[in-house]
Amino acid sequence: MRDIRKEGKSHNVDESGKSTGRYCDVDDRKRMIAEKRSAQVNREIGMLVALVICIVIGIASIFIYKSNKSKRNEEQTDICENGEYVGEREVGIKELSNEEKREDKEDKLPEFNIYEETADMDVEKRFGHYKKEVEKIIYPENIRSSSVVKELTEDGMIKDMMIDDKQLEADIRLWHALNYDIGVEEEKKGDAGNVADLTTLKPKDYRDIYKLCYQAYCIFPQADMATRYGRNAGDALKTSLDNGEYSYSQLITDFNISNEGYVTSFHYRDCSQKLADGCYWAGDNFNQFLYHYSALSEHEKEHCALMTYFYSFFGGKESGEEGVQHRNDLKKIQKEAKRILMEEYNYPESLFNEE
């Protein structure tokens, strides 16, 4: 009898009779397995390298962020010989308040260099440039604390009796004398809680006050004294515009000193004036000048409208803080500045979508 098992074709044999069993070509299979394993190892190594790179980048980003944050909050301690903080804005105030130097300076609106930097830009790029520059003004990198003034006893001696620095003692006495004179002069305004109800002094009276305030600020730089000379210089500006009692040079001087007072106050972490209110007063200076001084060029008008808009724009972002006094006023001048920019200078409405 035939053996059927021998004649049948095995499923492990091909038509030529060559075995195709799983144990065939062992060397080839080992080589294939080795190649796959090598490729897998390479992939794993690549993934590991990518992971390490991501971790390094992440750590570096955190370090840079913390470094920038630390830089943003660091104290600016450099001072010049009269005790005034060294800085472009403070030096600018000093030059502007010096009658002898003013004649040699070109009369420019505050921050007009921003407009000059955009001379070749279209309105969209100019709008973006102003936004960045005003933001840097309101949120400066260098933040500091106000100088501390030691109290004097009634007999005029230094309270702690430990100070043997004669110059410091003299500075403290002078600061208190100036502060007393400032108080006497400001009492002439009255004590109404509403600014609109205060007695309006003559422009010269406000100038006398802001000069005293500035002198006191130079002795011991303080946020609140910066806002005081800024406010009084702004009052000198506005009363001059309202009464028509001005020369252009004097207006620009008052305007610059007022703006610098508010800008300087933005550099202090302990300013009692709310940031939103500071933005309002700074922006309202440009708003008042735009409406009251008819001899401005078109470029100067556009500059005033842009500064008004962005001071009020950023002020509005800060106006949710408790204690802000000019929340509605910020909205009002922002809306009007937007109208002027759109209707008179063809700024597209799409630029104002962040409101």
Side-chain angles (χ1 to χ4, degrees):
M1 180 181 291
R2 284 194 325 182
D3 188 346
I4 297 176
R5 290 176 300 175
K6 288 184 179 179
E7 290 182 359
K9 187 179 289 185
S10 170
H11 67 278
N12 288 329
V13 177
D14 62 15
E15 293 181 354
S16 64
K18 187 176 179 180
S19 175
T20 60
R22 60 179 179 177
Y23 296 108
C24 180
D25 294 332
V26 173
D27 290 337
D28 290 341
R29 288 181 175 277
K30 286 183 177 179
R31 185 172 63 255
M32 292 173 64
I33 291 172
E35 289 174 353
K36 289 181 179 180
R37 184 178 294 131
S38 177
Q40 182 178 358
V41 170
N42 289 339
R43 284 195 300 270
E44 291 174 350
I45 292 175
M47 292 174 64
L48 181 61
V49 171
L51 179 61
V52 171
I53 292 174
C54 290
I55 292 173
V56 171
I57 293 175
I59 294 174
S61 299
I62 293 172
F63 176 80
I64 292 172
Y65 170 77
K66 288 184 176 180
S67 176
N68 288 339
K69 185 176 181 181
S70 175
K71 180 180 178 182
R72 185 180 179 88
N73 293 326
E74 67 183 2
E75 295 282 341
Q76 182 177 341
T77 56
D78 295 334
I79 57 176
C80 59
E81 58 186 8
N82 68 348
E84 178 187 357
Y85 278 103
V86 173
E88 180 181 352
R89 299 191 182 283
E90 286 79 2
V91 172
I93 301 168
K94 185 175 182 180
E95 291 175 351
L96 284 168
S97 63
N98 187 317
E99 294 287 342
E100 296 178 355
K101 292 184 179 181
R102 190 183 307 143
E103 294 179 355
D104 298 329
K105 294 180 68 64
E106 183 179 354
D107 293 329
K108 288 185 180 181
L109 296 173
E111 317 297 349
F112 194 69
N113 62 296
I114 300 177
Y115 193 90
E116 294 172 332
E117 292 165 0
T118 66
D120 299 327
M121 297 182 184
D122 57 25
V123 292
E124 287 86 355
K125 290 182 179 178
R126 177 174 294 134
F127 190 87
H129 185 72
Y130 264 84
K131 182 178 181 181
K132 284 191 240 181
E133 293 303 308
V134 175
E135 185 174 21
K136 286 193 289 188
I137 291 172
I138 298 171
Y139 304 103
E141 286 190 358
N142 293 319
I143 306 295
R144 53 188 180 252
S145 297
S146 299
S147 298
V148 177
V149 181
K150 294 182 180 296
E151 295 292 338
L152 300 179
T153 59
E154 291 183 1
D155 59 1
M157 300 299 291
I158 302 300
K159 190 173 183 179
D160 58 18
M161 300 303 294
M162 298 295 291
I163 297 179
D164 56 2
D165 186 329
K166 297 300 182 184
Q167 183 59 53
L168 176 59
E169 181 177 348
D171 286 344
I172 292 173
R173 294 181 188 282
L174 178 57
W175 188 92
H176 280 280
L178 288 167
N179 197 44
Y180 175 80
D181 291 342
I182 293 168
V184 170
E185 293 300 316
E186 289 195 326
E187 282 181 2
K188 297 176 182 178
K189 302 178 187 178
D191 57 0
N194 190 332
V195 175
D197 296 332
L198 293 174
T199 301
T200 301
L201 305 181
K202 292 183 178 179
K204 181 182 179 303
D205 296 325
Y206 290 117
R207 291 187 189 107
D208 290 341
I209 296 172
Y210 79 59
K211 288 176 182 177
L212 291 173
C213 293
Y214 181 73
Q215 189 179 354
Y217 174 83
C218 287
I219 296 172
F220 290 107
Q222 294 177 308
D224 292 343
M225 195 59 76
T227 61
R228 285 174 85 176
Y229 78 71
R231 181 71 59 80
N232 281 285
D235 287 340
L237 171 68
K238 290 165 189 172
T239 52
S240 293
L241 288 168
D242 288 341
N243 300 332
E245 301 174 2
Y246 55 78
S247 67
Y248 181 74
S249 178
Q250 184 63 65
L251 282 179
I252 292 297
T253 298
D254 295 339
F255 195 174
N256 274 283
I257 291 177
S258 181
N259 185 69
E260 296 295 349
Y262 293 118
V263 168
T264 299
S265 72
F266 296 149
H267 285 262
Y268 289 90
R269 62 172 57 88
D270 56 352
C271 185
S272 63
Q273 177 174 257
K274 300 296 182 182
L275 182 59
D277 289 330
C279 289
Y280 166 72
W281 287 113
D284 192 50
N285 279 342
F286 286 95
N287 184 54
Q288 294 291 333
F289 209 81
L290 173 62
Y291 272 94
H292 287 86
Y293 193 76
S294 59
L296 291 175
S297 68
E298 288 302 313
H299 294 329
E300 290 171 328
K301 289 179 182 178
E302 185 179 358
H303 171 68
C304 285
L306 284 164
M307 293 301 295
T308 300
Y309 179 81
F310 282 112
Y311 266 130
S312 58
F313 171 80
F314 287 110
K317 287 184 173 294
E318 298 290 340
S319 63
E321 185 180 5
E322 185 179 354
V324 172
Q325 297 178 347
H326 296 283
R327 189 175 292 110
N328 293 331
D329 295 324
L330 282 164
K331 292 178 182 178
K332 182 179 178 180
I333 65 173
Q334 182 182 1
K335 181 179 179 180
E336 181 59 14
K338 174 184 174 181
R339 183 195 67 77
I340 293 172
L341 290 171
M342 289 179 60
E343 294 182 5
E344 299 185 22
Y345 297 99
N346 299 317
Y347 281 74
E349 188 170 9
S350 59
L351 292 174
F352 305 90
N353 288 338
E354 294 186 34
E355 295 180 17

